[in-house]
Amino acid sequence: MSDMGAQIRGLGDQLRWVAEIRPPHLGTHSEVLFAGMGGSGIAGDYAAAIASANTTRLVVQKGYGPVPTWATRQRPLVIAASYSGNTEETLDLALSSHEKGLPVAVVTTGGRLAEMGRERSWPAVMVPAGLQPRAAVGHMVGATLKLLEGAHAIDDQRFALVEAADLVDATVAKGGRRWEEARAIATRLVGRICIIYAGGPITSPVAQRWKTQVNENAKMPAWWSLLPELDHNEITGWETLPELTSQSLGIVALVDRSDHPRIRARLAHTARLTQDAVPWVAEIASEGTSPLARLMSLTAVGDLVSWMLAEAAGVDPVPVATIERLKELLAEDHS
Ligand code: F6R
């Protein structure tokens, strides 16, 4: 599918598709190590937010092996997620985990990861191919949650998946309230580098997703920083170059009801202290009841903003030529 707008509008259907999947039986695990990169890796960050509300510890490792020492002792379930099935860091960590005797389960569309899984009888949730990995976030997050359900690591997410799907559909509906909100943010961000501020268990992983969506869809730099940490360093970084930063940057803040009240206070004070050096473009609040719905409601707004920024910049949001070229260069190193 070549149209990113259509891929974003399909996010709700992805979540509904996963809601119907029966989770595989994976025993019982209260510790999980998640391996995945980029658009697949974000599924681990979202799943970690949901797992922590279920007393499960899910650690995301974005990179190669080795298996961390705690994991060789605690023997977590390892979830390896790669949309293409060919991401070398994810394959490396999956294999190192297997070699250490850890149980591995996979989320993928195929590729080497599916082959490795078949050869070693790893349980798998196979998701439909044909999208950009980052545009398959509904499938990737949902499939990861199904594996966690199958490991008794989280409670049943069916209602949450449907709630999230309905909210996402309402968000991405052209001309709807959230769509207009996204349009207003994108309009204010045109020609600026977007910085996303967040500081809670729901908003923090979404800040990363906003950043990477702006990078990959709009082909623009973007950064995210988290409260309260940024109040201990970054806040002073706005002092010296206000003429430059006020013209070239813009902050978007993400908020959720699970944010600590002091985080809300910090956001307000931080905005007050820095507003002359950088425009605070918008504050976006999550919607919904379940953690998943709140994560996905913020995600959908960010996906729309990144797509609108691509449109404004006149770039095709779909291809990621530089990522592909880098993967080719790395593959040539092996040949
Ligand atoms: C491209 C994208 C990338 C990939 C990443 C890992 O749309 O989102 O960030 O997700 O290069 O590839 P996969 O997801 O195939 O393991």
Side-chain angles (χ1 to χ4, degrees):
M1 198 187 288
S2 61
D3 174 4
M4 183 55 72
Q7 295 188 36
I8 292 171
R9 283 192 297 280
L11 194 49
D13 283 344
Q14 291 180 25
L15 294 161
R16 264 185 219 98
W17 180 86
V18 183
E20 298 305 317
I21 293 178
R22 209 162 331 142
H25 295 292
L26 300 175
T28 299
H29 295 270
S30 58
E31 310 245 21
V32 178
L33 176 64
F34 179 96
M37 303 301 301
S40 298
I42 198 74
D45 299 308
Y46 284 20
I50 292 165
S52 67
N54 284 257
T55 69
T56 292
R57 183 162 72 134
L58 189 155
V59 176
V60 179
Q61 183 158 328
K62 296 188 179 181
Y64 300 89
V67 174
T69 310
W70 71 266
T72 55
R73 290 176 64 98
Q74 300 298 117
R75 312 197 55 71
L77 170 68
V78 177
I79 297 179
S82 168
Y83 186 78
S84 63
N86 292 320
T87 295
E88 64 174 40
E89 302 95 309
T90 310
L91 298 177
D92 187 66
L93 186 51
L95 211 49
S96 325
S97 303
H98 180 74
E99 282 161 4
K100 290 279 179 201
L102 304 184
V104 180
V106 307
V107 179
T108 188
T109 59
R112 258 310 278 138
L113 188 58
E115 270 168 39
M116 280 166 52
R118 271 194 299 274
E119 287 158 10
R120 293 166 183 80
S121 305
W122 293 340
V125 176
M126 301 297 293
V127 298
L131 301 175
Q132 277 291 331
R134 64 189 184 281
V137 67
H139 282 148
M140 297 303 285
V141 172
T144 302
L145 296 179
K146 286 289 163 175
L147 289 177
L148 293 175
E149 278 181 34
H152 300 100
I154 58 170
D155 48 25
D156 191 321
Q157 295 292 306
R158 240 170 321 164
F159 289 118
L161 284 160
V162 174
E163 186 199 9
D166 291 344
L167 264 175
V168 165
D169 281 351
T171 302
V172 301
K174 193 168 180 179
R177 180 180 52 81
R178 279 296 225 192
W179 198 90
E180 292 300 346
E181 204 177 346
R183 172 65 76 206
I185 298 166
T187 304
R188 286 203 63 197
L189 283 174
V190 167
R192 292 177 180 273
I193 292 171
C194 176
I195 299 182
I196 305 103
Y197 277 4
I202 296 293
T203 55
S204 298
V206 186
Q208 182 178 351
R209 167 74 180 183
W210 270 60
K211 178 244 187 243
T212 56
Q213 286 292 82
V214 173
N215 294 153
E216 292 180 72
N217 287 344
K219 324 299 186 231
M220 282 165 50
W223 281 275
W224 96 103
S225 291
L226 300 182
L227 289 154
E229 177 63 17
L230 75 89
D231 279 349
H232 298 273
N233 33 64
E234 185 165 312
I235 194 168
T236 58
W238 297 107
E239 290 169 18
T240 304
L241 303 169
E243 292 83 11
L244 182 68
T245 56
S246 62
Q247 295 305 312
S248 55
L249 303 172
I251 290 176
V252 174
L254 306 181
V255 299
D256 176 73
R257 77 168 107 91
S258 63
D259 294 343
H260 192 285
R262 298 299 288 162
I263 293 291
R264 299 307 298 265
R266 280 176 179 277
L267 259 184
H269 290 308
T270 305
R272 200 165 305 126
L273 290 172
T274 61
Q275 65 192 358
D276 291 340
V278 59
W280 284 64
V281 168
E283 182 178 291
I284 314 291
S286 64
E287 293 181 336
T289 305
S290 61
L292 179 66
R294 280 145 50 210
L295 284 162
M296 295 310 301
S297 70
L298 288 171
T299 301
V301 180
D303 282 14
L304 282 179
V305 169
S306 67
W307 171 63
M308 290 166 176
L309 285 172
E311 198 180 49
V315 299
D316 183 350
V318 175
V320 280
T322 311
I323 296 176
E324 300 305 335
R325 181 67 192 127
L326 182 78
K327 289 182 180 179
E328 280 166 19
L329 289 170
L330 286 161
E332 283 165 21
D333 292 345
H334 286 307
S335 56

